Amino acid sequence: MTAEIRWFWARLNANYWFYPALFSILAALLALAMIWLDRSGFAEFLNDVNWIVPSRPKGAADMLTVMAGSMIGVASTVFSITLVAVTYASGNYGPRLLTNFLEDRGNQLSLATFIGSFVYALIVLRSVRAEDETPATGAEAASTALPGFVPQLSLLVAYALMAICVAVLVFFLNHIPSSIRINKVLQGIGTRLLDAIRETYPVEDEFSDAREQVAGETLTAWGTGYVQMIDFEDLATAARNCGCTFSLKVRTGDFVHRDLPLMEIKGCKPEDIEDRVRQCFTLGPTRTPEQDPQFLIDELVEIGLRALSPGINDPFTAITALHWLGAATSEIGRRDLRKDICGKEDEECPVIPLPDNFEHYLKRGFGSIRSAVASSPIAAEVMLDTIAHAALPIRDERRQRMLREEGRLLAEQAREILVGPDLARFEAQSGRFDRNFWDDATAD
């Protein structure tokens, strides 16, 4: 249930409409509360403050009308600019980044602030009564110092909201061009990837073998889509309740369809626990970053491949993507890749996840971008340096050998493509790469 709540909250935050809807509700409640305070006489002290000039009904109505009209106009402009930025980013960096921009808190909160202010002004405007109008509640209207009814405290809050909106507009105009800069985009993906790695694999400098899975009866998938989230806690509870062991055959981010093996169950019949188990898996049409660091690795690789394509030919963007891939690979390489589902105190956890290994992540990152990098002299040299730097903090010799092998494969592929001075310079870099690895191995 905890995982389901986290998943629901994560997806709710990812929707572009959530914060505008939330701010609209809060603004409506704030407006009603301010009007109630004005009608109850709590704002009478404002008439005695010398530097506050009480507003007349016509002035208050005009101000709120201008505020409501301008706020909805600015909100429309903000939405249009956001769509243009999203279209540009998805077209140049890849369609997977569409989710990143829609989830951007700066864009969501900017639009929410303007829409919330519009709702507030509209509700307060309804309560303004001119001198020649018959008040809706005569006794309360008569308690004010001015004829008619003007919610003075509500107007002050409206002025404050206008000041906040001006500040938010300035922020938004700076945030949009900054958010579509490729270095900023890569930083956001890379930082999120490092955080996901540390959260998924919290144990550092321990390199234990994954627990072997146990054979059993197969439980197959019931639908089609990507595994977006697995509720391991509920799975463990269900396994303990029926006294069985689950050996998962999929991990978060895998695509499944009907009758594809989902897990093997030992100790009970799959049909006896099928309904409970299937509630622990969330399937959807797209992959998401939750529980899936590989999704963020794929985003870095996609940006790098697009940058190195003949139509774009931007090796420096690819170099930045390689640097973040190197940081993520190094972070993965120094961590225990076993998922801690039941806690260290429980050695016989009834849920055995599909093992993650360093080779899998290495091939998904550097292995996927290697062919494109080999065609670019400068990117190939940087990738060798990046692999060497990624290996430095790693204490496991087997993982270091995998990184060295990845560098060897890059060199072999680059020799098939590069010629002349480019090849000679790369060969010199490759020689330094080999010497660095041999020196590290000798030192160990």
Side-chain angles (χ1 to χ4, degrees), residues 335-398:
R335 294 183 176 273
D336 188 347
L337 300 183
R338 295 178 302 170
K339 290 186 174 70
D340 186 17
I341 297 174
C342 302
K344 290 185 177 181
E345 66 280 357
D346 191 346
E347 298 181 356
E348 295 297 329
C349 184
V351 178
I352 306 175
L354 190 64
D356 295 329
N357 56 66
F358 183 68
E359 183 180 11
H360 167 77
Y361 284 114
L362 185 60
K363 288 182 178 179
R364 196 75 183 199
F366 285 128
S368 298
I369 202 174
R370 185 199 318 128
S371 298
V373 170
S375 64
S376 172
I378 184 172
E381 293 181 30
V382 170
M383 182 168 168
L384 283 179
D385 277 341
T386 303
I387 292 175
H389 293 159
L392 285 177
I394 298 176
R395 298 292 176 260
D396 185 72
E397 294 183 2
R398 186 170 58 89

Side-chain angles (χ1 to χ4, degrees), residues 137-337:
T137 54
E140 293 179 357
S143 66
T144 61
L146 297 174
F149 174 68
V150 179
Q152 303 292 344
L153 184 59
S154 302
L155 286 176
L156 286 181
V157 174
Y159 279 115
L161 289 176
M162 286 181 62
I164 292 174
C165 288
V166 171
V168 169
L169 180 60
V170 173
F171 160 79
F172 177 79
L173 295 177
N174 174 74
H175 175 73
I176 279 292
S178 175
S179 65
I180 62 176
R181 290 174 52 198
I182 187 58
N183 287 345
K184 188 74 173 179
V185 172
L186 289 169
Q187 180 192 17
I189 299 173
T191 303
R192 191 172 183 180
L193 173 58
L194 293 176
D195 292 339
I197 292 170
R198 293 171 184 137
E199 181 180 356
T200 306
Y201 309 111
V203 180
E204 193 170 354
D205 292 329
E206 290 186 15
F207 311 102
S208 303
D209 293 332
R211 183 181 170 190
E212 292 187 5
Q213 296 194 326
V214 296
E217 297 188 57
T218 301
L219 175 66
T220 60
W222 68 97
T224 302
Y226 290 97
V227 179
Q228 294 180 325
M229 195 168 189
I230 302 174
D231 194 335
F232 291 106
E233 296 177 2
D234 279 4
L235 272 180
T237 302
R240 288 193 183 95
N241 291 340
C242 68
C244 56
T245 302
F246 297 155
S247 297
L248 301 186
K249 297 302 178 183
V250 296
R251 59 172 62 91
T252 310
D254 289 347
F255 186 84
V256 298
H257 53 77
R258 286 183 58 194
D259 298 330
L260 196 70
L262 201 65
M263 65 170 63
E264 290 189 1
I265 301 176
K266 180 181 179 181
C268 63
K269 295 291 183 181
E271 53 269 19
D272 296 337
I273 199 173
E274 181 177 356
D275 294 337
R276 175 72 184 278
V277 167
R278 286 178 174 174
Q279 293 177 1
C280 300
F281 290 83
T282 302
L283 302 182
T286 59
R287 293 170 58 191
T288 61
E290 281 75 27
Q291 288 188 350
D292 187 12
Q294 184 177 292
F295 175 78
L296 298 169
I297 292 176
D298 289 347
E299 285 189 336
L300 292 176
V301 170
E302 181 179 8
I303 292 176
L305 290 175
R306 281 174 170 264
L308 292 172
S309 64
I312 298 179
N313 192 22
D314 181 11
F316 295 99
T317 294
I319 287 172
T320 306
L322 286 171
H323 287 157
W324 284 106
L325 274 177
T329 302
S330 181
E331 196 70 37
I332 294 172
R334 71 180 81 178
R335 294 183 176 273
D336 188 347
L337 300 183

